[in-house]
Amino acid sequence: MISITWPQRSAAHRPALVLAERPLRGAAMRFLRRSTAAAALLASALAPCVAAAAPDTPRPHAKPPEPSGDAPPAAPPPDAPPAALVPPTPLTPLGADYPAGAHGDATVRLVLTVNADGTVRSAVAEDGVEPFASAAVAAATAFRFAPATRSGAPVAARIRVEVRFTEAASPAPPGASAAAPPGASAPAPERPATAAGPAPSAPRAIEVTVRGEQPAPGVSSLSRGEVRIVPGAFGDPFRALEVLPGVTPIVSGLPFFYVRGSPPGNVGYFLDGIRVPYLYHLGLGPSVVHPGIVDRVDLYPGGYPARHGRYAGGIVAGETTPPLPYWHGEGMLRLVDVGGLVEGPFAGNRGVALVGGRYSYTALLLSLAAPEVALDYWDYQARLSYEVVPEGRVSLFAFGAHDFLANDEDGEETTLFDTTFHRLDLRYDHAYGQGSALRGALTLGHDETGIGDGQKALTRSLGARLSLAHRLRDETTIRAGIDAVLDDNELDLGTGTGGPPGDEDDVPVDDLLLSRVDVTVGGYIESDIAITPRLRITPGLRLDLYHSDDTVALAVDPRLSARLSLGRGVTFVQAHGIASQLPSFVVPIPGFRPALKDGLQRSFQSSAGVELALPEDITATVSVFHNAFFNMTDALGSLGLESVEDAFTLRALGAATGVELSAHRRLTRRVGGFASYTLSRSTRSIGRSRQVSSFDRTHVANVALTYDLGRGYRAGGRFVFYSGLPQRVGGATLPPIDGVPGGSGSLAGGAPRWERLPPFFRLDVRLEKRWSIGKSGWLAVVLDVLNTTLSKETLPGMCDAFSPCEPTTFGPVTVPNFGLEGGF
């Protein structure tokens, strides 16, 4: 990443461009039952409450002071290192007309993607109000540049700019030009800028990110600019993942979902390459990381690059914002929690410190509406970064979260969810010439889950990773890395160690979870290769060696993806790969680590599709996928194949096949929206028994529309629909008798029968009024209502040969989030 500055002359109406589990299997069974109980409890507790929530907004980029006069910046010092990358320079005037009928001043933040031929591939308004956002985007798509180059070869570049509209601007000084003339080169920056932002003394700034490679095929990315106005997402990038194709939550209120048929325990969550157990708090709360520090979130539903691994399902990878050397902050106040974030420089801008977090006081509200419910959560983030050498930075990043949910019945409190995790990451990042980057890091982790009766499941981890990216002269990018993780798993039995003889909990501890030390060592290498100007392929290979409780397993995971340009605005993409993973629990809750004794889980993931650039600034994708799962642990999806007790330890085969459709017009436009639809089928089989996955949903659809009403008002709505889950109504699995498995079939000997439960749909609504305060401050009042239709959800009931299969209906889980937010 390279930042440059261009001075701009003022002109009338021309904007300035700126840039376990209990040691017994019965505890696991209780957790599954309690998951449904937790959702039902949240529904009854939250329905009468008004849980006000103001979505977090993107904080502004650096706004350097504007000195008087229009003198160009000084030449770079003699000892400045030569730039490895030459950013694009304008060939057409970088101006925009002040929109007719508008009033006042406004700032619009844009992201321009400049092709290798100098044309603007896309212009996205990350933030800004109408009609200014549309005016800035319309003007930007007509810009032309001398393309960015690396070692003399043109490359694509992504440029972040801020467009400031001024209702009455001062006249241009004599001889001043509104924009660089055709063929002109950008003046040299005052000093080489870093990824943290443009030079602080520049009068105007444009931040340029040069990206020589295309995004990975099939990846879906979310930035805060659009996420903050997605109805029902509460301004949270992680929560907005639910709108993407192939993603299906298992139940409202719980932070777990299926991705292309992969169970929640097989979906990996990462932040800056750091593994985290789950994404957001219970009770439809915010993400476990303050959105103010999240730059973007990428979803890899399958066939992902080799640098991501150790999960047999999808990958969710979040990236934090770079350290920004200027004071800024944001805060929010809601009926259920309060939070904030502030960041600022020290030591002459060589160091940057950040601190943020949120605390929930839901007990005060729930005590009035549902005194039997206890719901609590908190999270924190702190980062200290210092530039030790030019282009070299040391950072210490700490974050963590806690969630607690309990129900008090007849004076006896039952804990339904009690998790805590902490991370401490020490890293060193160094950017070299010729587009190379190095990162080395050490990470400490602590995961803990309470499982009742004073017992805990603990995992303490120590990890180390080293990664290198290097770009060759022919624009080929090579990435390689190695990493190792040591996990110390422990069962803290407390004082309660099981029930009486014959109790369902009285089973051997090593059936599911064992106190032990797991060690994983691995590495990867991949390369992004331009075969022709239209065809790029990315082969990769990942090797991982697992050691757990005297069991050793080796995973060899090849990957291959490709992008082929078929014509203007039409790109064919495909991704294929093998992925391996340790055994997983029902959901990825902290501290639960099943043993490796029955081998690794594996999957083969394959997808192909077409990306389309349509008129009216609409982008669309059509994809087909097929995933095959081997030796998988999926207690949720395998319910009905075997007895409930065995579902947690038995291994199954699985498959998922489907079609994904999506269309998107930027939500920051005056009229914006998106639509996504997934048609899929997911199956599970053990031996000769085969069934549709217990959490298979044939149809999943999301449709959203937002409209800018002007004068800071914006309204939007989002419709969510998914098919009902399958319910087994006949042929229940017989329990074992005298140690002999009963097998499948009803008491009467009939074949199993299935029926679909009622589908679920809901409508979310969002209203916002926003004001600008001073040069960079803002204040907003937001009403974001999830499930205005008061819709209820239905889940399958647990049953066997001696009890009927009765579905469970709960809800409505309706949360009207009303709150106040602001920033500077």
Side-chain angles (χ1 to χ4, degrees):
M1 176 170 171
I2 164 178
S3 299
I4 65 170
T5 59
W6 280 317
Q8 296 287 329
R9 312 292 184 176
S10 59
H13 298 317
R14 288 192 181 274
L17 290 174
V18 194
L19 189 112
E21 189 242 349
R22 197 167 174 173
L24 310 170
R25 177 172 12 178
M29 296 163 53
R30 286 197 305 276
F31 177 82
L32 181 61
R33 293 194 295 268
R34 289 174 178 178
S35 297
T36 303
L41 181 63
L42 287 172
S44 61
L46 295 177
C49 301
V50 179
D56 300 293
T57 63
R59 60 176 180 265
H61 281 218
K63 293 183 175 62
E66 298 185 9
S68 59
D70 294 289
D79 57 350
L85 304 171
V86 179
T89 54
L91 299 178
T92 59
L94 303 185
D97 294 331
Y98 191 92
H103 302 282
D105 299 344
T107 298
V108 178
R109 182 157 60 245
L110 296 177
V111 175
L112 307 182
T113 301
V114 181
N115 292 316
D117 62 0
T119 60
V120 176
R121 180 189 312 165
S122 65
V124 177
E126 284 192 318
D127 192 26
V129 298
E130 295 292 352
F132 299 100
S134 294
V137 168
T141 53
F143 296 165
R144 292 297 180 268
F145 294 84
T149 60
R150 187 193 304 274
S151 302
V155 296
R158 180 168 295 172
I159 306 174
R160 280 196 174 95
V161 302
E162 282 190 353
V163 182
R164 294 179 179 173
F165 290 87
T166 304
E167 190 169 10
S170 59
S177 174
S185 299
E190 183 180 25
R191 64 175 176 83
T194 67
S201 60
R204 301 283 190 265
I206 290 182
E207 181 185 348
V208 180
T209 304
V210 177
R211 301 181 183 274
E213 70 275 359
Q214 297 282 353
V219 64
S220 299
S221 298
L222 297 172
S223 64
R224 296 194 59 211
E226 286 193 293
V227 164
R228 64 173 298 271
I229 57 178
V230 174
F234 306 151
D236 197 304
F238 286 119
R239 186 167 289 282
L241 285 171
E242 297 180 7
V243 309
L244 300 177
V247 177
T248 305
I250 61 173
V251 63
S252 295
L254 293 179
F256 310 114
F257 43 77
Y258 277 75
V259 176
R260 286 186 177 176
S262 302
N266 289 17
V267 179
Y269 309 124
F270 294 89
L271 182 68
D272 281 358
I274 306 167
R275 182 185 62 195
V276 295
Y278 57 98
L279 292 179
Y280 42 82
H281 296 291
L282 285 176
L284 299 173
S287 69
V288 296
V289 179
H290 196 292
I293 198 175
V294 178
D295 183 53
R296 78 174 193 277
V297 177
D298 297 329
L299 171 66
Y300 298 88
Y304 35 81
R307 60 184 179 273
H308 300 295
R310 299 178 184 169
Y311 285 90
I315 295 289
V316 177
E319 294 293 331
T320 62
T321 57
L324 302 177
Y326 63 94
W327 283 100
H328 61 92
E330 58 185 75
M332 43 80 72
L333 178 63
R334 307 191 290 199
L335 291 180
V336 296
D337 60 13
V338 62
L341 180 144
V342 64
E343 184 177 37
F346 64 91
N349 288 348
R350 295 187 66 182
V352 180
L354 176 147
V355 62
R358 279 165 297 196
Y359 177 74
S360 168
Y361 39 83
T362 49
L364 299 177
L365 184 63
L366 290 179
S367 62
L368 301 177
E372 73 281 2
V373 178
L375 175 64
D376 184 31
Y377 62 81
W378 50 255
D379 61 67
Y380 68 91
Q381 305 84 38
R383 185 175 65 188
L384 189 66
S385 178
Y386 190 81
E387 187 179 36
V388 292
V389 296
E391 304 297 338
R393 183 172 291 270
V394 173
S395 300
L396 184 64
F397 183 28
F399 63 98
H402 170 74
D403 280 88
F404 178 80
L405 176 65
N407 185 30
D408 190 347
E409 294 182 358
D410 300 326
E412 181 178 352
E413 183 177 84
T414 301
T415 300
L416 301 174
F417 206 86
D418 183 9
T419 66
T420 305
F421 77 88
H422 305 276
R423 295 292 186 270
L424 180 64
D425 186 69
L426 175 64
R427 72 186 68 165
Y428 175 72
D429 293 289
H430 198 110
Y432 297 91
Q434 306 302 320
S436 299
L438 172 72
R439 168 172 288 183
L442 292 172
T443 305
L444 294 175
H446 177 93
D447 296 354
E448 177 180 322
T449 295
I451 53 180
D453 300 329
Q455 302 177 9
K456 300 178 182 178
L458 304 173
T459 297
R460 302 177 181 90
S461 60
L462 171 63
R465 63 189 188 279
L466 179 67
S467 62
L468 174 66
H470 181 65
R471 184 183 300 275
L472 304 179
R473 291 182 177 273
D474 62 354
E475 290 308 304
T476 296
T477 300
I478 299 176
R479 304 181 193 88
I482 56 174
D483 68 283
V485 179
L486 185 150
D487 292 318
D488 182 9
N489 306 284
E490 177 185 349
L491 286 172
D492 184 352
L493 303 183
T495 56
T497 57
D503 186 273
E504 66 174 0
D505 296 342
D506 193 15
V507 296
V509 61
D510 58 355
D511 279 355
L512 183 61
L513 187 65
L514 183 69
S515 295
R516 64 186 185 277
V517 175
D518 296 340
V519 179
T520 306
V521 180
Y524 68 89
I525 184 170
E526 63 184 10
S527 182
D528 183 35
I529 306 171
I531 303 297
T532 70
R534 291 178 175 268
L535 174 64
R536 300 188 72 92
I537 65 170
T538 305
L541 178 66
R542 183 174 188 91
L543 300 176
D544 286 298
L545 181 65
Y546 301 87
H547 180 277
S548 176
D549 193 30
D550 298 327
T551 301
V552 178
L554 175 65
V556 181
D557 298 340
R559 314 279 173 80
L560 178 65
S561 61
R563 299 180 65 93
L564 174 63
S565 176
L566 301 178
R568 185 176 181 85
V570 181
T571 304
F572 176 73
V573 299
Q574 56 180 318
H576 315 278
I578 295 175
S580 305
Q581 179 184 354
L582 287 167
S584 57
F585 189 59
V586 185
V587 291
I589 61 176
F592 279 67
R593 295 294 179 86
L596 178 59
K597 64 177 184 179
D598 292 325
L600 295 171
Q601 301 181 85
R602 300 184 188 273
S603 67
F604 172 73
Q605 304 169 344
S606 181
S607 65
V610 177
E611 298 176 352
L612 304 171
L614 303 178
E616 300 298 327
D617 195 29
I618 297 175
T619 59
T621 62
V622 180
S623 301
V624 295
F625 69 88
H626 177 76
N627 290 348
F629 308 105
F630 307 93
N631 204 34
M632 72 183 308
T633 53
D634 180 17
L636 289 178
S638 300
L639 290 177
L641 282 171
E642 297 291 342
S643 63
V644 174
E645 291 84 354
D646 292 333
F648 295 96
T649 55
L650 290 178
R651 302 301 184 93
L653 297 176
T657 303
V659 179
E660 298 170 348
L661 308 175
S662 69
H664 175 216
R665 190 173 193 257
R666 292 188 310 276
L667 299 181
T668 51
R669 297 289 297 269
R670 183 159 193 171
V671 179
F674 67 82
S676 64
Y677 169 71
T678 302
L679 172 67
S680 65
R681 178 86 165 183
S682 182
T683 61
R684 300 289 183 267
S685 62
I686 297 178
R688 296 183 179 181
S689 300
R690 185 174 182 270
Q691 69 176 37
V692 176
S693 170
S694 303
F695 276 77
D696 172 74
R697 299 190 189 272
T698 305
H699 308 279
V700 178
N702 283 268
V703 179
L705 183 69
T706 64
Y707 182 71
D708 192 299
L709 303 172
R711 298 187 178 276
Y713 290 95
R714 179 179 288 272
R718 170 187 167 203
F719 178 77
V720 180
F721 171 87
Y722 44 79
S723 300
L725 296 172
Q727 170 71 71
R728 189 166 188 163
V729 295
T733 299
L734 295 177
I737 300 176
D738 297 329
V740 179
S744 298
S746 68
L747 289 176
R753 294 185 298 106
W754 296 84
E755 66 179 17
R756 286 282 174 178
L757 297 177
F760 174 79
F761 68 92
R762 75 169 194 258
L763 177 66
D764 305 332
V765 175
R766 185 180 187 277
L767 303 173
E768 176 187 12
K769 167 60 178 174
R770 185 170 180 175
W771 299 269
S772 296
I773 301 176
K775 292 185 177 181
S776 61
W778 45 268
L779 184 68
V781 175
V782 179
L783 175 63
D784 201 349
V785 184
L786 184 140
N787 194 15
T788 60
T789 49
L790 304 178
S791 300
K792 298 181 179 181
E793 290 191 65
T794 304
L795 290 181
M798 293 186 179
C799 58
D800 55 32
F802 303 103
S803 61
C805 303
E806 295 293 338
T808 301
T809 301
F810 65 94
V813 178
T814 297
V815 184
N817 290 296
F818 179 78
L820 179 70
E821 65 178 6
F824 65 94

